[in-house]
Amino acid sequence: ENVTDSKDQVEEKSKELTNKTVALDALWDLVQKDLEEAAKLARFQRDCRRFENWMEIRENALSSDDEDQNIQILAKKNDDFHRGIKQQEAKIQSIVENSDKLAEEGHSQAEKIRNDKDELIGRWEGLKAKLTERHKEIAEVETLQEFWKNADEFSEWLDEKIIIAEQPINDTNLNEGLQKHNAFKTEIEANMDRLQSILNSGEVIAEKNKEQAEIIDKRSDELKAKSEKLHKLSDAKSNAYEEAVKVRQFIAACNALEFWIVETKTKLETAEAKDLSSALKNLKKISQIQADIANKRTSRDALLDEYEKIEASEKATATKNKLIEDFDSVQLNVEAKRAELDNALKLFRFVTDADEEVDWCKEKLVVVEHEAPSSDLTQSRATSLKHKHLEYEFETRSAKIDKILAAG
C-alpha cells in the first residue's frame, strides 16, 4: 500500500515537472522573442537616431546665417549637401524597408515603428525641400551677381568705344580711317546681342526679385542710354566720313578738270598762224577745243551743283572758286585765239589771192608785150580772136580782183 502511494506521488510529481518544463520552454520562447524584437527595435531606433543626427547637422547648417559668406562658398556647400543627400538615399531606403519588414513580421511595436518611420520620412522630405529652396536662392544670387558683373564689364566696354567714337575722322588718310570705322561699326553691332542678353537676364531677375527690380531697371536703362549714345556718335562719324569722301571726290573731279584746262591753255599757246596751212589747221583745233569746252561746261556745272550738296571745307571752296575762274579764263582765251587766227587767215588768204592775181597779170602782160604784128589776114584774125578771149578772161577776173582789193 505504501509502495502504491509512492508510485502515484512519483507520477504526479513527474507530470507536474513535465508541465512546468513545458511552461518554462514556452516562457523562454516568449522571452527569446521579446529579446529578438527588442534587439530589432533597438537596431531600428539606432539607425533612426543616426540618420536624425545626420539630418540635424544639415538642418542646422541650412538654418545658419550665411549672408556674410561668399556666394561661391555657399554654392560649394550647397553642392556638398546635394552629394550627401544622394549618398543617404540608400540609407533611408534601407530604414524604410526594415520598418516595413518588422511590421509584416507582426512586431509588437509595429505602430511605434511606423510612426517613427513616417516622422523620419517627413523630416527627410523637409530637409530636401529646404535644400532645394536654398539651391534656388543661391542660383538667384549667382544670377544677380552675374548680371552685375556682365553689366559692369559691358558698361566699361561702352565707355571705351564712346571715347573712340568721339575722336575726329582721319582726314589725312580717308581710306584707312573709313576702313577702321567700318570695322568699328561691325564690332558694335556684333556686341548688341551681348547687350540684349544682359537686359533679358535683368528682366528675368527683376520679375523674380521685386526688391531688386528698381535698381536692376536703373542699371539696364544706363546701359541702353550708353548704347544709344554710342550708336549716335558712330552714325555721326559715318556721316562725317561720307561727307569727307564726297569732298575728296569733288576736289579730285575739280583737279581733273583743272588738268584739262592746263592742257587746253598749252594747246592755245602753241596754236600759231605761221602760214595759211597752219592757220587753217589751228582753226580746226580751236573748233575742237570749243566743242570740248561745251562738253566740259556740263561737267563743271555738275560739280557746282555737287558743291551745293556737300559740307564744303575751305579747301573745297577754294578749289571751286579757282575752277570757276580758270574755266572762264580758258573760254576767253579760246575766243581771243580764234579771233587772232581768223584775222591771220584773212591776211594769208588776201596775200595768197593777191599774189595769184599779180602772177596772172604778169603772165598776160608778157603774152601781150611779146605778141608779134600780124603779117596777113589769117594771122590778124587769129590775133583778134586771142585779144577778145583775153578781154573776156580779164573781165571775168576783174570781179575777183575787186573783191581782193576790197578785202585788203
Side-chain angles (χ1 to χ4, degrees), residues 127-347:
L127 176 62
K128 291 198 296 183
K130 287 181 180 179
L131 186 58
T132 300
E133 183 64 25
R134 173 59 65 86
H135 177 74
K136 181 180 177 182
E137 292 173 355
I138 291 175
E140 290 178 354
V141 173
E142 285 183 317
T143 303
L144 181 59
Q145 288 189 349
E146 185 69 16
F147 168 79
W148 286 115
K149 177 176 176 291
N150 292 337
D152 289 342
E153 290 177 351
F154 195 73
S155 180
E156 291 177 1
W157 181 85
L158 286 172
D159 289 337
E160 293 175 358
K161 300 308 172 185
I162 287 174
I163 291 174
I164 296 174
E166 289 175 336
Q167 295 175 355
I169 64 174
N170 185 359
D171 286 324
T172 57
N173 194 335
L174 278 179
N175 290 337
E176 180 181 351
L178 185 58
Q179 184 178 3
K180 288 183 178 180
H181 181 66
N182 287 335
F184 177 75
K185 288 172 60 180
T186 301
E187 182 184 4
I188 291 175
E189 293 305 318
N191 277 274
M192 287 303 100
D193 289 342
R194 179 182 168 194
L195 171 62
Q196 193 58 49
S197 176
I198 294 173
L199 296 177
N200 290 342
S201 66
E203 291 177 359
V204 173
I205 297 170
E207 184 66 25
K208 295 180 179 179
N209 193 341
K210 300 299 182 182
E211 295 178 356
Q212 298 286 336
E214 183 176 353
I215 190 172
I216 288 175
D217 290 342
K218 182 179 179 181
R219 188 58 168 159
S220 296
D221 290 341
E222 290 174 356
L223 291 177
K224 287 188 282 189
K226 284 187 178 182
S227 176
E228 184 177 355
K229 179 180 179 181
L230 176 60
H231 276 89
K232 287 183 178 179
L233 289 171
S234 178
D235 291 341
K237 200 167 187 178
S238 296
N239 293 335
Y241 268 113
E242 289 178 4
E243 285 300 321
V245 170
K246 290 179 181 178
V247 170
R248 183 182 65 177
Q249 292 173 343
F250 170 79
I251 293 175
C254 288
N255 289 338
L257 199 52
E258 284 283 1
F259 182 77
W260 173 84
I261 290 174
V262 171
E263 285 186 330
T264 301
K265 286 183 177 181
T266 302
K267 290 178 180 179
L268 292 176
E269 291 173 358
T270 59
E272 297 180 357
K274 298 178 180 180
D275 51 33
L276 179 61
S277 176
S278 63
L280 289 170
K281 180 180 179 182
N282 285 322
L283 275 172
K284 289 182 180 180
K285 184 187 295 185
I286 293 300
S287 296
Q288 182 60 49
I289 290 175
Q290 287 180 317
D292 291 343
I293 288 177
N295 293 330
K296 296 298 182 181
R297 186 180 295 110
T298 302
S299 300
R300 183 207 61 179
D301 293 343
L303 285 173
L304 296 181
D305 291 340
E306 182 65 22
Y307 175 82
E308 299 300 327
K309 300 176 184 178
I310 64 175
E311 296 180 6
S313 61
E314 292 182 2
K315 182 178 180 181
T317 301
T319 302
K320 184 261 299 184
N321 292 337
K322 186 174 185 302
L323 175 64
I324 294 175
E325 180 181 349
D326 291 345
F327 197 88
D328 292 342
S329 174
V330 78
Q331 289 187 98
L332 294 175
N333 290 345
V334 169
E335 292 172 0
K337 179 60 71 172
R338 171 170 281 282
E340 176 187 333
L341 290 175
D342 281 338
N343 290 332
L345 179 62
K346 290 177 181 179
L347 176 61

Side-chain angles (χ1 to χ4, degrees), residues 52-108:
E52 287 172 345
N53 290 337
W54 182 89
M55 287 193 296
E56 183 177 3
I57 294 173
R58 272 65 189 175
E59 288 168 346
N60 292 336
L62 289 174
S63 301
S64 63
D65 188 4
D66 294 327
E67 292 183 359
D68 295 334
Q69 294 191 21
N70 185 282
I71 189 64
Q72 281 75 24
I73 296 177
L74 292 177
K76 186 178 184 305
K77 288 174 63 176
N78 196 62
D79 291 340
D80 292 340
F81 285 166
H82 270 291
R83 283 193 292 271
I85 288 289
K86 290 182 180 179
Q87 292 172 358
Q88 293 297 319
E89 288 283 359
K91 182 64 177 177
I92 192 171
Q93 184 63 31
S94 175
I95 293 173
V96 170
E97 291 175 356
N98 188 29
S99 170
D100 294 340
K101 182 179 179 181
L102 292 176
E104 290 174 0
E105 291 176 352
H107 197 287
S108 60

Side-chain angles (χ1 to χ4, degrees), residues 4-14:
T4 302
D5 291 339
S6 297
K7 183 178 178 182
D8 292 337
Q9 290 178 354
V10 169
E11 289 178 354
E12 183 179 350
K13 292 291 183 181
S14 176

